Structures are given as C-alpha cells and as structure tokens.
Amino acid sequence: MNNPTQIEGMLNNLAYKLFAQSGQDDRRATGPKEIGNLVVFDHPESVDKIVKGTALFRKNFSLISALGFSRFNTNDEEWATRRAITQDRYLAAAKPAHEQSVSDIFSASLADCETSLAGIHQALFAGAMTIFYQAFGLVAEAPLTATLLDRAREVLRRLQYYSWVTPTSAERDSAIQDARAVIADFGSQLMADSRAAAEMHRFSEKAAGIDSFSPIEEFVMNLFAGVETTVTTVQWVIDRLGANQQAQERIHDEISSDRPQAPFTDCFINETMRYFPPIPFLTREVSTDTVLDGTTLRAGQLVMLSVVGVHQHPDFWENPRTFDASRKEFIDNSFDRRAFIPFLTGPRMCGGARLGRLEVEQAVRAVVWQFAFARTDDVIRFDYALALRPANGMSVTVSRR
C-alpha cells in the first residue's frame, strides 16, 4: 500500500532496530546479526574491509537509482569519472580561506529566521544550499530549491521502502514517475540560468565517456546528499544541546572567546555524529563468493553495513550507548579511525567531507551564538529517509540570546 504513514513507520523501525542491535557485547552470540534477509556487519574491522574492498563489495541502490545515476550509486571507472566532475569544487570550497564566508552565510540566514525549530531548519537549509551552489559558481533560488529537495526526499523515502517491501507494478511505476518528475523540474530550473546551463555543459564534457549521462541527475544527487547530511547533523547537535544545558553554555563561552580553536565544540560535534550518524547504514552487493567473519557470502547477495553499530561497538568505545558530551576518546584524540566513519572511509568516502565538516562547525557556532535551546524531555524519535533526522515535533524550545 502506498501509505505515507506506513512507509515512514517501517523505515523508522529499521533505524530503531539498528540502534537496538548496537553497543552490545556480542562475543557469545551464535551466528551473524540480521535485519530482514540481510546479514548485518557492524565490527569496525569488518566494515573497513568491506568499504575498502570496492571490487568485491559493490554499490547497489536498487530502486533509489530511479532518481538518477551519480557518483553515489556507480562503480569502477564510471564512478571515478563522475567523482572527478565535482571533487575539485568541493576541495576548493573547503579551503580555510572560505571559513569566514561560510560563517557569514549561516549567520545571516539565522539572523533573519523565525525563532523556532522550523525557522532554524529552513535557515540552515538556505545557508547550506547557498554554499553548495557557490562551490560551483552558481546562485541558488532558495525557496524553489528547498521545495524540490523536499519532493526528492519524499520520493527517496518511497523508493527506499520499495527496496525492502516489494511494490505492486502500479506503486513502482508511480514512484519512478514521481522521481523522474523531480529531476525534470530541477532540470528546468537549472537550465533557465545561463550560468547553471554552462556548468551542466561542463559536467557533460567531463563525462563524455559515459553513455546516457545526465548532468542534472549528477548535480541533484550531489546537492541532496551534501545539504541533507549537513543540515541533519546540525539538527541533531541542536537536539543534544537542548538536553545538555551545561555543555551548551560551555560551547557558547568557548566560541565567544578570542581563541581560534574550540576543542569542546569539536568534541560535541564528533559525539553527535558518532551517536547519530547522518547515514546510519549502507548496503553492498557481493560480487564473488567469499567468507567474512566466518560468514559465507554468495555472489549477488546484499549485505548491510551498520554505521550505527560501528559507532557504538563496545570493543572500540567506552560506554558506547551513552551520549557523552566530553567523550574522552575525542578529547584525547585516541579513537580508532575505523570506528568513527560519519563520512565513511576508504576510496569511496564522501568527497565533500571537508566541506561538510566546515559547514557543520560554522553552522553550530552561528546557531549557539544566536539561540539557546531547552528540552522538556529526552525521548528520542527518528525521521529516516536515507539520512537520519530528528523527528518533527521534538520537544526542544528555542529562544534568542
């Protein structure tokens, strides 16, 4: 049934299952963990092997590819070609020289927004979209682009649901049709701007060897991935600030000082990404029969990589199921890099990781400088659709400083 409530409930329950399975000492467990018909890998060493073994464990996004092909759902030489189209832009935009510009964009967006979680959310999206477009020398039409991204998110939610629950032919066709409509509307918006049209032409020239390449699909998927994960992370920071008043004031004091470094703020951001990774899991398709962690895997089999499980593995973290604003592993910089992968790792790690981290840091500074948050309870609820957001209606109150 194409029921939004049913779809949302099923996907959120999937996220809850990942959290329920994580952080436990499972050395006495018999057999691998499973969700549905997927074997779940969550040991940092095993996941590290999978994400770095790109020939053996290949990307497979099933119906999600109805929104188009990009660096996020392709493999081998095609992936490398697509990566080269955008990577230099991300690296250039993440240079320290742009730090003040990123800070100013978020500060300006937040200064004019409504004093509410919804208002801050809209301001963060506007800021992140502005920064993304600027990386490509473009100017975003924020309201229209935000509407299109909301449509893309809802289509992605349905497509992901149908990757787990087999749709009827009518449901499948409807979801694909809606996905193509979103891409077409994005294309109309982009090609109406001569600068954007020229940038799409550059995309196409760099991808000359890829059959049926769509620069619109590449741009849109990069836009959605970059903006959604950045804003989601800041939303979780806000949520945790509301539940940690002492930490909130300590961060405010730290960013108000003249010191260039903010170690406690950095720790808090890291702990938020550890506890609530924006991308909670990945799937990979096994290309050849193999054995991993004593589990026999067959060619064509899909496996799940639990980023939540990696971030809460008891062999690598002290009290992993506790949100610790002053987590020792981050303060001392003693954590195992294989156990903290909010941007993934290996050759296919997020190409915009540096820019994303810069945006999150500056957005958090701007948010804490302008607002104070309080939580009336600490009941955590998810809203999952590729990225893991806090659910709407979370009990966080907002006031301006």
Side-chain angles (χ1 to χ4, degrees), residues 238-246 248 373-375 377-378 396:
I238 290 171
D239 182 84
R240 292 299 83 201
L241 288 172
N244 292 267
Q245 293 296 307
Q246 186 176 1
Q248 183 176 170
F373 306 96
R375 227 183 184 289
D377 63 40
D378 201 17
V396 177

PDB file of all heavy atoms in Angstrom, residues 238-246 248 373-375 377-378 396:
ATOM      1  N   ILE A 238      21.604  20.487  17.742  1.00  0.00           N
ATOM      2  CA  ILE A 238      20.626  21.318  18.450  1.00  0.00           C
ATOM      3  C   ILE A 238      19.835  20.475  19.443  1.00  0.00           C
ATOM      4  O   ILE A 238      19.615  20.876  20.595  1.00  0.00           O
ATOM      5  CB  ILE A 238      19.688  22.001  17.441  1.00  0.00           C
ATOM      6  CG1 ILE A 238      20.443  23.079  16.659  1.00  0.00           C
ATOM      7  CG2 ILE A 238      18.467  22.606  18.137  1.00  0.00           C
ATOM      8  CD1 ILE A 238      19.660  23.660  15.492  1.00  0.00           C
ATOM      9  N   ASP A 239      19.407  19.307  19.005  1.00  0.00           N
ATOM     10  CA  ASP A 239      18.656  18.412  19.878  1.00  0.00           C
ATOM     11  C   ASP A 239      19.456  18.050  21.128  1.00  0.00           C
ATOM     12  O   ASP A 239      18.939  18.082  22.255  1.00  0.00           O
ATOM     13  CB  ASP A 239      18.286  17.148  19.109  1.00  0.00           C
ATOM     14  CG  ASP A 239      17.463  16.183  19.934  1.00  0.00           C
ATOM     15  OD1 ASP A 239      16.238  16.362  19.989  1.00  0.00           O
ATOM     16  OD2 ASP A 239      18.044  15.259  20.540  1.00  0.00           O
ATOM     17  N   ARG A 240      20.721  17.722  20.944  1.00  0.00           N
ATOM     18  CA  ARG A 240      21.575  17.332  22.087  1.00  0.00           C
ATOM     19  C   ARG A 240      21.932  18.538  22.958  1.00  0.00           C
ATOM     20  O   ARG A 240      22.118  18.404  24.179  1.00  0.00           O
ATOM     21  CB  ARG A 240      22.844  16.645  21.588  1.00  0.00           C
ATOM     22  CG  ARG A 240      22.629  15.286  20.935  1.00  0.00           C
ATOM     23  CD  ARG A 240      22.003  14.271  21.886  1.00  0.00           C
ATOM     24  NE  ARG A 240      20.557  14.380  21.958  1.00  0.00           N
ATOM     25  CZ  ARG A 240      19.802  13.931  22.952  1.00  0.00           C
ATOM     26  NH1 ARG A 240      20.371  13.395  24.015  1.00  0.00           N
ATOM     27  NH2 ARG A 240      18.498  14.067  22.921  1.00  0.00           N
ATOM     28  N   LEU A 241      22.042  19.718  22.361  1.00  0.00           N
ATOM     29  CA  LEU A 241      22.283  20.921  23.154  1.00  0.00           C
ATOM     30  C   LEU A 241      21.109  21.174  24.092  1.00  0.00           C
ATOM     31  O   LEU A 241      21.294  21.582  25.248  1.00  0.00           O
ATOM     32  CB  LEU A 241      22.485  22.134  22.240  1.00  0.00           C
ATOM     33  CG  LEU A 241      23.796  22.196  21.453  1.00  0.00           C
ATOM     34  CD1 LEU A 241      23.751  23.344  20.459  1.00  0.00           C
ATOM     35  CD2 LEU A 241      24.992  22.342  22.386  1.00  0.00           C
ATOM     36  N   GLY A 242      19.892  20.944  23.583  1.00  0.00           N
ATOM     37  CA  GLY A 242      18.725  21.136  24.427  1.00  0.00           C
ATOM     38  C   GLY A 242      18.720  20.224  25.636  1.00  0.00           C
ATOM     39  O   GLY A 242      18.181  20.573  26.688  1.00  0.00           O
ATOM     40  N   ALA A 243      19.308  19.036  25.483  1.00  0.00           N
ATOM     41  CA  ALA A 243      19.355  18.066  26.578  1.00  0.00           C
ATOM     42  C   ALA A 243      20.594  18.219  27.453  1.00  0.00           C
ATOM     43  O   ALA A 243      20.720  17.519  28.466  1.00  0.00           O
ATOM     44  CB  ALA A 243      19.300  16.648  26.001  1.00  0.00           C
ATOM     45  N   ASN A 244      21.513  19.102  27.065  1.00  0.00           N
ATOM     46  CA  ASN A 244      22.782  19.272  27.798  1.00  0.00           C
ATOM     47  C   ASN A 244      23.036  20.758  28.028  1.00  0.00           C
ATOM     48  O   ASN A 244      23.841  21.384  27.326  1.00  0.00           O
ATOM     49  CB  ASN A 244      23.942  18.652  27.001  1.00  0.00           C
ATOM     50  CG  ASN A 244      23.872  17.145  26.914  1.00  0.00           C
ATOM     51  OD1 ASN A 244      24.446  16.449  27.730  1.00  0.00           O
ATOM     52  ND2 ASN A 244      23.171  16.640  25.904  1.00  0.00           N
ATOM     53  N   GLN A 245      22.354  21.333  29.001  1.00  0.00           N
ATOM     54  CA  GLN A 245      22.449  22.772  29.233  1.00  0.00           C
ATOM     55  C   GLN A 245      23.871  23.205  29.585  1.00  0.00           C
ATOM     56  O   GLN A 245      24.359  24.236  29.105  1.00  0.00           O
ATOM     57  CB  GLN A 245      21.489  23.178  30.354  1.00  0.00           C
ATOM     58  CG  GLN A 245      20.022  23.023  29.991  1.00  0.00           C
ATOM     59  CD  GLN A 245      19.623  23.947  28.849  1.00  0.00           C
ATOM     60  OE1 GLN A 245      19.849  25.154  28.901  1.00  0.00           O
ATOM     61  NE2 GLN A 245      19.043  23.381  27.802  1.00  0.00           N
ATOM     62  N   GLN A 246      24.535  22.440  30.424  1.00  0.00           N
ATOM     63  CA  GLN A 246      25.888  22.810  30.819  1.00  0.00           C
ATOM     64  C   GLN A 246      26.829  22.802  29.620  1.00  0.00           C
ATOM     65  O   GLN A 246      27.636  23.723  29.446  1.00  0.00           O
ATOM     66  CB  GLN A 246      26.395  21.845  31.898  1.00  0.00           C
ATOM     67  CG  GLN A 246      27.748  22.235  32.479  1.00  0.00           C
ATOM     68  CD  GLN A 246      28.173  21.315  33.621  1.00  0.00           C
ATOM     69  OE1 GLN A 246      27.468  20.369  33.969  1.00  0.00           O
ATOM     70  NE2 GLN A 246      29.321  21.600  34.213  1.00  0.00           N
ATOM     71  N   GLN A 248      25.930  23.216  26.536  1.00  0.00           N
ATOM     72  CA  GLN A 248      25.521  24.313  25.666  1.00  0.00           C
ATOM     73  C   GLN A 248      26.187  25.624  26.073  1.00  0.00           C
ATOM     74  O   GLN A 248      26.713  26.358  25.222  1.00  0.00           O
ATOM     75  CB  GLN A 248      23.997  24.468  25.721  1.00  0.00           C
ATOM     76  CG  GLN A 248      23.446  25.532  24.804  1.00  0.00           C
ATOM     77  CD  GLN A 248      21.928  25.588  24.830  1.00  0.00           C
ATOM     78  OE1 GLN A 248      21.334  26.505  24.284  1.00  0.00           O
ATOM     79  NE2 GLN A 248      21.261  24.618  25.453  1.00  0.00           N
ATOM     80  N   PHE A 373      18.691  26.697  23.646  1.00  0.00           N
ATOM     81  CA  PHE A 373      17.747  25.599  23.490  1.00  0.00           C
ATOM     82  C   PHE A 373      17.524  24.892  24.819  1.00  0.00           C
ATOM     83  O   PHE A 373      18.419  24.811  25.656  1.00  0.00           O
ATOM     84  CB  PHE A 373      18.276  24.581  22.459  1.00  0.00           C
ATOM     85  CG  PHE A 373      18.636  25.204  21.142  1.00  0.00           C
ATOM     86  CD1 PHE A 373      19.959  25.558  20.869  1.00  0.00           C
ATOM     87  CD2 PHE A 373      17.669  25.455  20.192  1.00  0.00           C
ATOM     88  CE1 PHE A 373      20.305  26.141  19.662  1.00  0.00           C
ATOM     89  CE2 PHE A 373      18.002  26.048  18.980  1.00  0.00           C
ATOM     90  CZ  PHE A 373      19.318  26.393  18.720  1.00  0.00           C
ATOM     91  N   ALA A 374      16.320  24.379  24.989  1.00  0.00           N
ATOM     92  CA  ALA A 374      15.993  23.591  26.173  1.00  0.00           C
ATOM     93  C   ALA A 374      15.085  22.448  25.746  1.00  0.00           C
ATOM     94  O   ALA A 374      14.243  22.616  24.842  1.00  0.00           O
ATOM     95  CB  ALA A 374      15.303  24.447  27.233  1.00  0.00           C
ATOM     96  N   ARG A 375      15.256  21.307  26.386  1.00  0.00           N
ATOM     97  CA  ARG A 375      14.460  20.120  26.053  1.00  0.00           C
ATOM     98  C   ARG A 375      13.558  19.793  27.228  1.00  0.00           C
ATOM     99  O   ARG A 375      14.021  19.709  28.373  1.00  0.00           O
ATOM    100  CB  ARG A 375      15.376  18.943  25.765  1.00  0.00           C
ATOM    101  CG  ARG A 375      15.009  18.191  24.488  1.00  0.00           C
ATOM    102  CD  ARG A 375      15.921  16.988  24.330  1.00  0.00           C
ATOM    103  NE  ARG A 375      15.701  16.262  23.109  1.00  0.00           N
ATOM    104  CZ  ARG A 375      14.635  15.513  22.852  1.00  0.00           C
ATOM    105  NH1 ARG A 375      13.667  15.421  23.739  1.00  0.00           N
ATOM    106  NH2 ARG A 375      14.535  14.861  21.714  1.00  0.00           N
ATOM    107  N   ASP A 377      11.900  16.951  27.511  1.00  0.00           N
ATOM    108  CA  ASP A 377      12.086  15.535  27.819  1.00  0.00           C
ATOM    109  C   ASP A 377      13.298  15.072  27.015  1.00  0.00           C
ATOM    110  O   ASP A 377      13.931  15.867  26.329  1.00  0.00           O
ATOM    111  CB  ASP A 377      10.840  14.699  27.481  1.00  0.00           C
ATOM    112  CG  ASP A 377      10.506  14.710  25.987  1.00  0.00           C
ATOM    113  OD1 ASP A 377      11.442  14.644  25.158  1.00  0.00           O
ATOM    114  OD2 ASP A 377       9.321  14.793  25.641  1.00  0.00           O
ATOM    115  N   ASP A 378      13.634  13.806  27.133  1.00  0.00           N
ATOM    116  CA  ASP A 378      14.743  13.306  26.319  1.00  0.00           C
ATOM    117  C   ASP A 378      14.332  12.023  25.606  1.00  0.00           C
ATOM    118  O   ASP A 378      15.089  11.068  25.525  1.00  0.00           O
ATOM    119  CB  ASP A 378      15.998  13.081  27.164  1.00  0.00           C
ATOM    120  CG  ASP A 378      17.264  13.060  26.305  1.00  0.00           C
ATOM    121  OD1 ASP A 378      17.206  13.521  25.153  1.00  0.00           O
ATOM    122  OD2 ASP A 378      18.302  12.567  26.788  1.00  0.00           O
ATOM    123  N   VAL A 396      11.952  20.481  21.842  1.00  0.00           N
ATOM    124  CA  VAL A 396      13.031  21.451  22.063  1.00  0.00           C
ATOM    125  C   VAL A 396      12.452  22.855  21.953  1.00  0.00           C
ATOM    126  O   VAL A 396      11.812  23.185  20.938  1.00  0.00           O
ATOM    127  CB  VAL A 396      14.172  21.254  21.054  1.00  0.00           C
ATOM    128  CG1 VAL A 396      15.255  22.314  21.262  1.00  0.00           C
ATOM    129  CG2 VAL A 396      14.758  19.858  21.163  1.00  0.00           C
TER     130      VAL A 396
END
